[in-house]
């Protein structure tokens, strides 16, 4: 057997002796799993090839899982949706016993919504904050309060994401309420109604946000921590802010659809994605924070995620997002659509 044939044969074998598979990953576009250098290295190491399909909202993700059984092998699911996906039979438990990197995942993340009745339905992968970022050209000093969005000095140069849940939780923070236990929705609605005249535009994607900021059209806009790191890395004049009112924290996990026929390859890919070596390289390109304690510890001291999300004072101000039931989501959606209609 030639060396080339031997190499081909070796690459065709994965853990457990299974032949190489093509796995299909469902995720946000540009969110780590589709980095060319990472998927190419995974393929070289295991023989498995990786194909991606994308969604633009969690609801779209769930719909794709419901209507395309067997089409996907790995799916990115926000922890607030993991239980729903499990209860609908869309994802199954993951055997982590053969994963070399699972033991270094932070124990705190293994105790949340991704582990249900002792079974892992989502491997904790990344986490971050929904807060806001400023155009540093518009401020001498970064504001320390969410109330900057209502400052008349920034009228027509403000933006928030066109998402009902984010908007309502943003309003809850601005009115001093717990984002998971909003006791006065009327106050939130009134606060958001006061914000509408300030809005230049609503954004829906990271690309939208970057284009508006690059054009100098915005002074301040809600944003995600990992996205802010990427935008700054691109050279945009942005600074991420966690105000005194706090921010909403989220956790994303990598799950395996119950209908997948390539579960071993899927788990191997997830293990690759939580590897500290992969994460440190991704962090330099603008990653969210890692749920892997070893990966977080390996970051250089000047890393955005180590400086901002590793600050104990910041951690004290964040509220992790709980699952939101369908009835509450519908209520928030009606509120948000009503506000936009009256703008």
């Amino acid at each position: 057997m030639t060396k080339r044939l031997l190499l081909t044969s070796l690459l065709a074998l994965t853990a457990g002796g299974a032949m190489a598979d093509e796995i299909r990953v469902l995720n946000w576009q540009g969110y780590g799993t589709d980095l060319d250098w990472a998927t190419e290295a995974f393929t070289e190491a295991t023989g498995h090839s990786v194909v991606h399909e994308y969604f633009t909202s969690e609801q779209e993700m769930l719909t794709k899982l419901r209507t395309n059984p067997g089409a996907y092998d790995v799916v990115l699911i926000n922890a607030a949706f993991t239980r729903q996906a499990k209860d609908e039979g869309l994802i199954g438990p993951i055997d982590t016993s053969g994963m070399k990197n699972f033991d270094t995942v932070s124990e705190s993340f293994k105790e949340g919504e991704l582990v249900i009745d002792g079974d892992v339905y989502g491997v904790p992968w990344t986490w971050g904050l929904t807060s806001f970022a400023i155009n540093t050209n518009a401020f001498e000093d970064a504001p320390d309060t969410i109330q900057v969005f209502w400052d008349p000095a920034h009228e027509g140069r403000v933006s928030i994401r066109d998402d009902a849940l984010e908007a309502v939780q943003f309003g809850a923070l601005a009115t001093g309420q717990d984002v998971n236990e909003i006791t006065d929705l009327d106050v939130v609605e009134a606060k958001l109604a006061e914000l509408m005249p300030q809005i230049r535009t609503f954004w829906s994607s990271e690309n939208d946000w970057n284009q508006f900021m690059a054009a100098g059209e915005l002074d301040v806009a809600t944003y995600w921590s990992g996205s802010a790191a990427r935008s700054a890395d691109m050279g945009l004049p942005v600074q991420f802010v966690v105000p005194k009112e706090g921010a909403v924290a989220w956790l994303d996990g990598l799950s395996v659809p119950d209908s997948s026929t390539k579960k071993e390859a899927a788990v191997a890919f997830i293990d690759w994605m939580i590897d500290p070596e992969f994460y440190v390289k991704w962090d330099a390109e603008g990653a969210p924070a890692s749920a892997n304690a070893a990966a977080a510890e390996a970051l250089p001291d000047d890393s955005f995620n180590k400086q901002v999300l590793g600050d104990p004072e910041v951690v004290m101000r964040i509220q992790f997002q709980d699952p939101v039931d369908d009835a509450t989501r519908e209520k928030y959606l009606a509120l948000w659509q009503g506000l936009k209609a009256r703008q």
Side-chain angles (χ1 to χ4, degrees):
M1 182 180 288
T2 67
K3 289 183 178 179
R4 181 179 296 275
L5 286 174
L6 177 61
L7 178 60
T8 301
S9 298
L10 289 173
L11 290 179
L13 298 175
T14 60
M19 295 300 291
D21 287 314
E22 177 185 90
I23 59 171
R24 301 187 67 85
V25 179
L26 183 62
N27 194 358
W28 304 93
Q29 188 167 13
Y31 193 11
T33 61
D34 59 355
L35 290 167
D36 288 341
W37 57 264
T39 56
E40 288 169 3
F42 174 73
T43 298
E44 183 178 352
T46 67
H48 301 310
S49 58
V50 184
V51 175
H52 275 78
E53 187 170 326
Y54 303 107
F55 56 82
T56 58
S57 70
E58 283 86 359
Q59 295 303 327
E60 182 184 0
M61 174 271 296
L62 292 171
T63 298
K64 284 179 178 289
L65 291 178
R66 293 177 188 126
T67 56
N68 298 283
Y72 310 108
D73 305 295
V74 176
V75 57
L76 184 286
I77 303 182
N78 182 282
F81 292 84
T82 302
R83 186 175 293 272
Q84 178 181 351
K86 178 263 184 187
D87 289 345
E88 291 188 31
L90 301 176
I91 56 175
I94 298 172
D95 181 1
T96 63
S97 61
M99 297 175 67
K100 70 181 181 69
N101 296 303
F102 187 75
D103 287 345
T104 54
V105 171
S106 299
E107 290 300 320
S108 60
F109 290 125
K110 296 178 183 177
E111 299 171 356
E113 292 294 325
L114 299 180
V115 180
I116 303 171
D117 298 328
D119 289 325
V120 177
Y121 283 88
V123 173
W125 186 43
T126 56
W127 71 279
L129 303 180
T130 299
S131 186
F132 66 86
I134 61 168
N135 181 336
T136 55
N137 293 327
F139 293 86
E140 290 187 8
D141 298 301
D144 66 352
T145 174
I146 202 172
Q147 303 303 328
V148 67
F149 279 76
W150 285 264
D151 186 337
H154 304 290
E155 182 178 356
R157 299 186 58 80
V158 166
S159 181
I160 64 175
R161 184 179 174 222
D162 188 6
D163 181 89
L165 178 60
E166 279 192 20
V168 170
Q169 291 183 334
F170 177 76
L173 287 174
T175 55
Q177 300 189 62
D178 187 322
V179 298
N180 296 309
E181 295 289 341
I182 299 175
T183 57
D184 196 333
L185 197 57
D186 290 340
V187 170
V188 170
E189 182 174 9
K191 186 68 172 177
L192 291 174
E194 294 173 4
L195 180 64
M196 290 297 116
Q198 296 281 103
I199 301 263
R200 164 68 177 84
T201 187
F202 300 107
W203 64 275
S204 60
S205 69
E206 186 173 319
N207 186 59
D208 287 345
W209 197 98
N210 286 333
Q211 288 183 346
F212 290 126
M213 192 63 73
E217 296 183 20
L218 301 176
D219 291 348
V220 58
T222 58
Y223 212 22
W224 305 308
S225 54
S227 298
R230 284 189 291 276
S231 297
D233 189 60
M234 291 169 54
L236 292 178
V238 301
Q239 180 179 340
F240 190 71
V241 177
V242 181
K244 60 187 179 184
E245 294 88 353
V248 179
W250 43 264
L251 171 65
D252 284 337
L254 294 170
S255 299
V256 177
D258 196 47
S259 57
S260 169
T261 60
K262 305 167 185 175
K263 290 185 172 64
E264 285 190 14
V267 171
F269 183 71
I270 292 173
D271 200 21
W272 191 268
M273 286 289 109
I274 65 172
D275 191 313
E277 185 175 349
F278 159 75
Y279 178 71
V280 170
K281 187 173 180 180
W282 183 26
D283 181 77
E285 300 179 7
S290 176
N292 186 312
E297 180 62 28
L299 293 177
D301 289 340
D302 61 352
S303 163
F304 170 89
N305 285 314
K306 202 165 192 175
Q307 288 183 335
V308 177
L309 302 187
D311 184 344
E313 292 187 4
V314 170
V315 173
M316 288 293 292
R317 299 201 298 274
I318 66 177
Q319 299 179 45
F320 267 92
Q321 182 184 70
D322 288 343
V324 179
D325 60 59
D326 288 343
T328 301
R329 286 184 181 278
E330 288 299 321
K331 185 189 302 182
Y332 292 174
L333 181 60
L335 182 154
W336 182 234
Q337 289 177 334
L339 284 169
K340 291 194 298 179
R342 298 196 300 270
Q343 187 181 14

